[in-house]
Amino acid sequence: MAMTTGRSAARDTGVVVILGALLVLGLPLVADTNMLTLLVIYGMLALSLGLIWGFGGILCFGQAAFFGLGAYTFAIAGINIGESTLPLVLSVLVPAAVAALLGAFMFYGRLGDVYLAVITLVFSLILFRWLNTTAGPAYVIGNARLGGFNGIPGFPLLNVPGYPRWELWGDPLYYVAAVALLVVFLLVSWLLRSSFGRIAIGIRENEERVSLLGYDIRARKTVLFAIGAGIAGLAGALFAAWAEVVTPSLFSLQQSAEIIIWCIVGGLGTRFGPVLGAAVVTSVKITLGGQAMLDNMLVLGLILVLFVLFLPRGIAPELARLWAWAIGGNRKPVRRRAPRGGVADG
Amino acid sequence: MAETVLETEGLTMRFGGVTAVDGVSLKVRARELRCLIGPNGAGKSTCFKCLCGLLKPTEGHVFLRGEETTGWDPHRIAAMGVGIKMQVSSVMDGLSVQENIWMAARRHNDTGAATAKAEEVIDRLALGPIARTDLGRLAHGERQRVELGLVMAQDPWLVLLDEPAAGMTGEEVTRMAEIIHEMTRSAAVVVVEHDMQFIRSLASTVTVFHRGRVLVEDHVDRVMADPVVRDVYLGKQA
Ligand SMILES: Nc1ncnc2c1ncn2[C@@H]1O[C@H](COP(=O)(O)OP(=O)(O)OP(=O)(O)O)[C@@H](O)[C@H]1O
Ligand SMILES: [Mg+2]
């Protein structure tokens, strides 16, 4: 069901742009843009893991590391450069380069999936622990003090390229972040339709077979891993611009775990699922945050267990099924088998 | 004499104490059809895995078109133009027949040419009616046929097939034999098989494996008449 023909690709792009534009413009009417910005940023972060895990079969337990690296790069480069355009670019490139190195080490070393999960997790925890120890004045990069567990405040916020004084926050930041998510979503869609993406899905399905077709899966997985890290890094930069401070908690175990939960709840192997999962889970978390009765982590764990047991394919495939049923009129909703059909989703 | 496309010298593979392949020296020429037979556990599949890089031989050498490929990674060997089907059926289960075959064709073609090539292979193997079906939903015989399609789509000059006819119906086996013969127009084909009927229908040179070694190598009719081979296969269908 991969969208191979030019016509269906154009239709898919059209649907995404129209629905995306409606959501970008419509959501501020019903919800607070400050919170929406966070949902959009988390959606992009979820999409980064959804890409490498759901389509590439790479389960990274430390996706937060690249999110955090993007945020720190944005803050540190911003302080040194004085505006945000180049830092924004660097916040994509630095995590991507780090992921390329880490990925090359893991994939060329032929580490199994479990080791991959452990190494990515340990990598993010090392950064977490180390950044927590950088409180002293000795820890500086250029003019930026790392600041230990307090992190880095007071860096330049996002500005209009070329105009450092025109800083974007509040509603404009929401629109920038939302459009960025839409663009990244379209780029991911394009990637998945390209030969590279289709072969990546083949690698997810059967690594050995794809290598017996003559493809170097190590190189391909490394590249995909780096792309995912670049997207996570961009989300990190936007998060930094939103929060106006970066702290080591970006690298925490809880952050990494949440990204995985978003993907499972939303629907792995779909593009829209992880974005939706991030929005739903984060909304629930924020709603619950106002009360003290239930522990947040406990609720998240409960949500995860319920989904794994009762809706293992996530929300997005079920929504797609309902949608197909609604526009198909009297046809019955068909339950499709595995959670892994090409790129066919909403 | 045609050029030698596959050659092994003293190929040996040990798993701990077990010597699965023991000093095997083989020579296969361009466009030759060669059958490997032998009882269960004779080392045929292990030998195959050494040829295509899935296993690194303990000792010995592998040469493909005169180039030493011992210890190369599978993707490099496959990329040279070697089409491989392992004994255990291995395909991309969650993807359609078309997508599977397209991926094989894409390695040496651009996207458009790969799509055309996939179309051609699908026609050739009469997979048209199931072209959009996911592999996971197909019957065993159909999966085998698709795997053959993956090999064909690569336009290989050397084809290694490990038990391609296993579990197929009589009619499917006949078709498989036809296709294999057709492949030899452009490629040397090495087939591992148990089904004697099938091997007779291929009528080629046969190499008999026994306990990791080459027992005899001769034309199928003479091999079938050989008392030693009959002895090795005692209780089998020879
Ligand atoms: N990975 C492995 N580890 C240990 N022993 C192995 C391994 N692979 C194969 N063997 C052993 O090597 C010997 C040869 O096995 P192989 O699969 O090559 O035989 P075969 O000729 O293909 O048999 P069959 O006709 O049943 O497919 C067997 O004794 C098997 O148990
Ligand atoms: Mg075997």
Side-chain angles (χ1 to χ4, degrees):
Chain A
M1 292 233 238
M3 296 160 295
T4 49
T5 63
R7 264 218 350 253
S8 70
R11 221 193 75 193
D12 178 70
T13 307
V15 170
V16 170
V17 168
I18 291 170
L19 282 181
L22 285 176
L23 284 173
V24 171
L25 297 173
L27 284 174
L29 303 177
V30 294
D32 164 42
T33 48
N34 193 43
M35 181 175 120
L36 285 176
T37 311
L38 183 64
L39 298 188
V40 161
I41 290 166
Y42 281 168
M44 191 185 292
L45 179 55
L47 182 59
S48 78
L49 184 65
L51 171 65
I52 65 166
W53 183 19
F55 293 99
I58 303 169
L59 175 49
C60 172
F61 265 83
Q63 196 68 2
F66 306 118
F67 181 62
L69 275 175
Y72 268 81
T73 303
F74 183 77
I76 293 167
I79 289 175
N80 284 295
I81 294 169
E83 63 98 47
S84 74
T85 311
L86 185 57
L88 193 64
V89 175
L90 288 176
S91 68
V92 174
L93 296 183
V94 169
V98 171
L101 286 175
L102 186 67
F105 163 72
M106 295 188 300
F107 300 127
Y108 282 80
R110 282 172 220 289
L111 298 182
D113 289 344
V114 176
Y115 289 100
L116 195 142
V118 171
I119 286 177
T120 50
L121 180 65
V122 168
F123 175 68
S124 67
L125 289 183
I126 287 173
L127 284 171
F128 176 66
R129 293 292 296 266
W130 177 73
L131 279 167
N132 270 312
T133 65
T134 57
Y139 296 100
V140 288
I141 298 180
N143 300 321
R145 275 184 62 170
L146 293 181
F149 62 84
N150 290 321
I152 310 173
F155 47 84
L157 301 183
L158 202 62
N159 61 253
V160 177
Y163 301 91
R165 282 166 185 280
W166 288 11
E167 289 194 329
L168 302 166
W169 47 273
D171 283 1
L173 181 61
Y174 162 73
Y175 288 107
V176 168
V179 170
L181 175 60
L182 190 56
V183 169
V184 169
F185 193 91
L186 287 170
L187 285 176
V188 166
S189 307
W190 169 80
L191 185 76
L192 291 172
R193 274 194 305 269
S194 72
S195 293
F196 178 83
R198 290 165 74 180
I199 293 160
I201 294 170
I203 293 172
R204 172 194 77 188
E205 290 292 317
N206 191 338
E207 212 171 291
E208 183 180 282
R209 181 73 251 192
V210 176
S211 75
L212 284 176
L213 294 177
Y215 295 104
D216 187 347
I217 53 167
R218 304 164 304 183
R220 286 170 180 273
K221 285 173 99 169
T222 304
V223 170
L224 187 68
F225 190 58
I227 293 173
I231 296 172
L234 179 61
L238 292 171
F239 182 86
W242 175 81
E244 304 185 13
V245 61
V246 296
T247 64
S249 68
L250 291 170
F251 295 88
S252 68
L253 178 59
Q254 179 172 353
Q255 183 69 66
S256 281
E258 272 183 39
I259 308 171
I260 291 172
I261 295 174
W262 298 338
C263 287
I264 293 174
V265 167
L268 265 183
T270 70
R271 292 166 298 162
F272 189 55
V275 181
L276 188 66
V280 169
V281 174
T282 307
S283 304
V284 169
K285 198 180 138 183
I286 290 174
T287 313
L288 288 177
Q291 53 87 47
M293 286 251 298
L294 289 163
D295 178 58
N296 240 321
M297 255 342 241
L298 202 73
V299 174
L300 283 187
L302 192 66
I303 291 178
L304 178 65
V305 170
L306 288 178
F307 267 83
V308 168
L309 288 179
F310 299 111
L311 213 60
R313 295 172 55 209
I315 304 172
E318 302 299 329
L319 281 183
R321 208 156 59 86
L322 267 180
W323 170 252
W325 176 70
I327 59 167
N330 48 13
R331 267 185 299 147
K332 275 210 161 133
V334 266
R335 205 173 247 281
R336 284 213 327 259
R337 200 181 41 97
R340 30 173 48 178
V343 233
D345 66 283
Chain B
M1 267 284 204
E3 149 204 36
T4 302
V5 289
L6 164 66
E7 186 172 0
T8 69
E9 266 178 28
L11 198 67
T12 301
M13 185 72 219
R14 292 192 199 96
F15 299 106
V18 184
T19 307
V21 177
D22 190 2
V24 168
S25 297
L26 279 176
K27 243 183 195 182
V28 178
R29 297 185 182 280
R31 289 182 299 282
E32 183 181 340
L33 174 54
R34 173 73 62 93
C35 288
L36 296 187
I37 64 169
N40 291 116
K44 307 175 300 284
S45 297
T46 306
C47 178
F48 253 46
K49 286 180 187 160
C50 290
L51 298 180
C52 68
L54 285 173
L55 288 173
K56 313 284 175 218
T58 322
E59 273 166 45
H61 306 272
V62 181
F63 299 91
L64 295 173
R65 279 189 163 172
E67 188 169 1
E68 169 140 26
T69 59
T70 321
W72 280 22
D73 285 321
H75 72 91
R76 276 182 78 195
I77 292 176
M80 284 177 85
V82 180
I84 300 150
K85 182 218 163 286
M86 305 308 306
Q87 180 167 358
V88 180
S89 147
S90 172
V91 286
M92 283 72 86
D93 270 333
L95 302 179
S96 71
V97 171
Q98 198 274 342
E99 190 69 4
N100 268 268
I101 296 177
W102 175 87
M103 213 169 289
R106 179 68 181 83
R107 182 62 184 84
H108 295 290
N109 295 289
D110 64 31
T111 311
T115 307
K117 178 89 204 169
E119 213 63 45
E120 184 191 316
V121 170
I122 285 169
D123 279 350
R124 178 67 202 84
L125 294 176
L127 293 167
I130 52 168
R132 303 275 153 200
T133 312
D134 285 357
L135 260 290
R137 299 181 157 205
L138 296 184
H140 177 74
E142 291 170 324
R143 289 163 66 90
Q144 295 268 64
R145 223 163 358 124
V146 174
E147 261 209 283
L148 202 66
L150 294 185
V151 172
M152 283 171 82
Q154 288 174 275
D155 276 327
W157 44 262
L158 174 63
V159 175
L160 307 173
L161 304 175
D162 198 346
E163 306 203 6
M168 284 186 150
T169 64
E171 194 188 326
E172 284 174 325
V173 172
T174 315
R175 192 137 105 212
M176 178 69 74
E178 270 172 40
I179 293 166
I180 288 175
H181 270 296
E182 203 178 290
M183 280 181 162
T184 58
R185 274 191 228 147
S186 56
V189 183
V190 183
V191 186
V192 170
E193 256 308 334
H194 277 303
D195 187 333
M196 290 300 164
Q197 205 66 40
F198 181 58
I199 292 164
R200 279 204 186 88
S201 75
L202 291 177
S204 70
T205 311
V206 172
T207 303
V208 184
F209 266 61
H210 184 49
R211 297 194 177 156
R213 290 167 179 273
V214 175
L215 192 65
V216 264
E217 185 170 296
D218 208 334
H219 188 268
V220 60
D221 297 334
R222 282 188 290 277
V223 165
M224 296 295 177
D226 190 321
V228 182
V229 175
R230 285 179 163 272
D231 196 33
V232 164
Y233 262 99
L234 206 68
K236 287 235 147 212
Q237 62 270 63

